[in-house]
């Protein structure tokens, strides 16, 4: 090699800047989520490989210096890797590598006319400083935009904050009778996130919501079930998953049921993903690793348990089991697939014995949805192959339908509108479709009215009011005409939040950041009517309204607000 030639730096800069571009694109919500996920992990890998090729073969550095530069650029990563929090290893890969490439190129550019000794000393100092930064933090996951959630490594976790929580067994079984639950499970009585008892228009300017209580909770992305003044939810405490019953008036814990199980992954963190379901005096809950339990809702006593992974051969999904139990036709219905025999399964409410099962394709993070179409009770479920409507009592397939733009599986619940229309998402950030359903002389007829990219939900459910759809087009709130699929407006950056609709025709939007917004359900314009701060940190859990009270939670706190 001719050492008299100047260093060839431009290929290194091209690699470093392209790697940084991949990082920037991975946190751009307008890009489809699967593409962003690939960019997030593949970008640093390809960048590091190309950088090594450039440094060793094309940089024109002296041979010994090339290897020393490589060692100094990546070697200090051992410091946070071995002395930092174990969770930070992912951040080292995703952000440490691009940062190291940039730091190396800046150093080599600034010291290109200096001797090897000063050049290597400068690179070593800057590289150690860059990598040591990561030793100060722990990674708690990513938000909906794939931005990392970093916390000081010494700060207590939400699970550690639960150590002093007490359970008041004195209220177990008090004032509880079997009856219809006001909010029996995920997204309410009809699975449409509608709060029918809030019929009057809310005016937060003159009568803002009043905070009633606030309490710590372990991490989970569960929502609530509510009946007779009690809340039911799920959480993670160390190596145990916990199902909790709380006094809705005070936040005091009435009972807790725990079993040994822990699910954790790097994007969403730890804890269960599903929401418990009430049916009479029984509560059904599915854990992140597929443990399904039936409990006495009054006392928390376990009535039966099924381990889907051990007993049904169910594979562990990438993001954990997320199917909130559906209770219909005398059965508890959950997704255990993909499987040619035991994908969608129905277990007896009484004893948990398998009643029927149905094959499904691909992993899935939505739930079976009970609904009534044309006067017939069905359970609707979407997998990679499309939508399937099932008789919940027998498991017989009523119909199958695959929308034209279907990419599935969806992470958003299908929704019945008016008894003859189904709205469904088409996949993660793909779009939405309207399907009109007819039942004529015992034969089902389905027509795809429209498919639209004007509303592209990810894991953010939508609501319907007065002929219009309101929900999240990725991270921006939007309104779409139910009849045509055309967009009315798109405005309001609330992150990857969730939404409720009141009986009075207003929208309660819970932003991903934890603040609450009140919007008019107005197809003519996006109109904010009020807001207040409710929670801190990432908030993906669905809020509920029951007994005139708004209940919200995330992976750290539960808060109740009187509306």
């Amino acid at each position: 090699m001719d050492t008299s030639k100047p260093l060839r730096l431009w290929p290194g800069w091209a690699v470093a800047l392209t790697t940084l571009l991949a990082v920037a694109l991975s946190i751009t919500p307008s890009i489809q989520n699967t593409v962003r996920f690939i960019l997030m992990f593949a970008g640093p890998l390809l960048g590091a490989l190309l950088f090594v090729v450039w440094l060793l073969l094309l940089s024109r550095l002296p041979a010994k210096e090339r290897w020393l530069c490589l060692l100094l650029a990546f070697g200090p990563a051992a410091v946070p890797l071995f002395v930092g929090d174990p969770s930070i290893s992912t951040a080292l890969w995703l952000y440490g590598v691009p940062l190291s490439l940039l730091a190396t190129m800046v150093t080599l550019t600034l010291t290109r006319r200096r001797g090897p000794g000063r050049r290597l000393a400068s690179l070593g100092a800057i590289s150690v400083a860059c990598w040591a930064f990561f030793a100060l933090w722990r990674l708690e996951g990513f938000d909906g935009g794939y931005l990392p959630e970093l916390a000081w490594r010494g700060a207590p976790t939400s699970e550690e904050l639960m150590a002093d929580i007490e359970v008041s067994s004195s209220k177990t079984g008090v004032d509880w009778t079997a009856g219809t639950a006001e909010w029996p499970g995920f997204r309410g009585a009809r699975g449409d996130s509608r709060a029918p008892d809030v019929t009057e228009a809310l005016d937060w300017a003159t009568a803002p919501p009043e905070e009633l209580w606030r309490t710590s909770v372990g991490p989970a992305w569960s929502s609530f079930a509510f009946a007779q003044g009690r809340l039911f939810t799920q959480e993670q405490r160390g190596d145990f998953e916990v199902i909790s019953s709380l006094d809705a008036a005070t936040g005091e814990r009435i009972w807790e049921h725990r079993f040994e199980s822990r699910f954790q992954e790097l994007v969403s963190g730890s804890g269960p993903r599903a929401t418990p379901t009430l049916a009479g005096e029984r509560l059904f809950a599915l854990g992140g690793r597929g443990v399904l339990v039936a409990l006495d809702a009054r006392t928390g006593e376990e009535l039966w348990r099924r381990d889907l992974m051990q007993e049904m051969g169910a594979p562990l999904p990438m993001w954990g089991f997320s199917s909130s139990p559906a209770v219909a036709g005398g059965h508890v219905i959950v997704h255990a697939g993909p499987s040619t025999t035991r994908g969608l399964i129905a277990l007896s409410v009484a004893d948990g014995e398998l009643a029927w099962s149905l094959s499904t394709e691909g992993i899935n993070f939505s739930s079976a949805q009970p609904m009534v179409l044309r006067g017939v009770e069905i359970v609707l479920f979407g997998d990679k192959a499309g939508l399937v409507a099932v008789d919940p009592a027998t498991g017989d397939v009523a119909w199958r339908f695959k929308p034209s733009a279907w990419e599935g599986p969806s992470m958003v619940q299908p929704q019945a509108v008016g008894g003859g229309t189904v709205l469904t998402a088409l996949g993660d950030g793909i779009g939405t479709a309207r399907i009109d359903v007819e039942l004529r002389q015992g034969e089902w007829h389905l027509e795809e009215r429209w498919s639209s990219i004007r509303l592209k939900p990810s894991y953010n459910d939508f609501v319907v009011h007065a002929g219009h759809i309101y929900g999240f087009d990725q991270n921006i709130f939007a309104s779409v005409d139910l009849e045509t699929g055309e967009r009315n407006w798109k405005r309001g950056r609330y992150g990857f939040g969730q939404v409720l609709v009141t009986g009075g025709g207003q929208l309660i939007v819970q932003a991903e950041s934890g603040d609450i917004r009140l919007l008019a359900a107005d197809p003519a314009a996006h109109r904010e009517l009020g807001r207040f701060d409710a929670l801190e940190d990432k908030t993906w859990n669905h809020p509920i309204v029951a007994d005139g009270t708004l209940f919200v939670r995330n992976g750290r706190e539960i808060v109740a607000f009187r509306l």
Side-chain angles (χ1 to χ4, degrees), residues 37-60:
F37 195 72
I38 293 172
L39 287 169
M40 175 186 283
F41 286 91
L45 172 62
L46 185 59
L49 291 175
L50 292 175
F51 196 80
V52 170
V53 170
W54 163 76
L55 187 61
L56 297 182
L57 301 179
L58 302 173
S59 64
R60 292 178 178 165

Side-chain angles (χ1 to χ4, degrees), residues 34 56 96 157 159 165 269 278 393 398 402 409:
T34 302
L56 297 182
T157 66
E159 293 174 77
I165 292 295
L278 278 166
K402 186 176 182 179

Side-chain angles (χ1 to χ4, degrees), residues 486-509:
E486 293 300 315
R487 182 184 292 150
N488 299 318
W489 48 259
K490 178 179 177 180
R491 189 175 179 185
R493 293 184 177 272
Y494 308 127
F496 288 78
Q498 303 292 355
V499 60
L500 290 167
V501 59
T502 72
Q506 293 175 311
L507 307 172
I508 298 176
V509 177

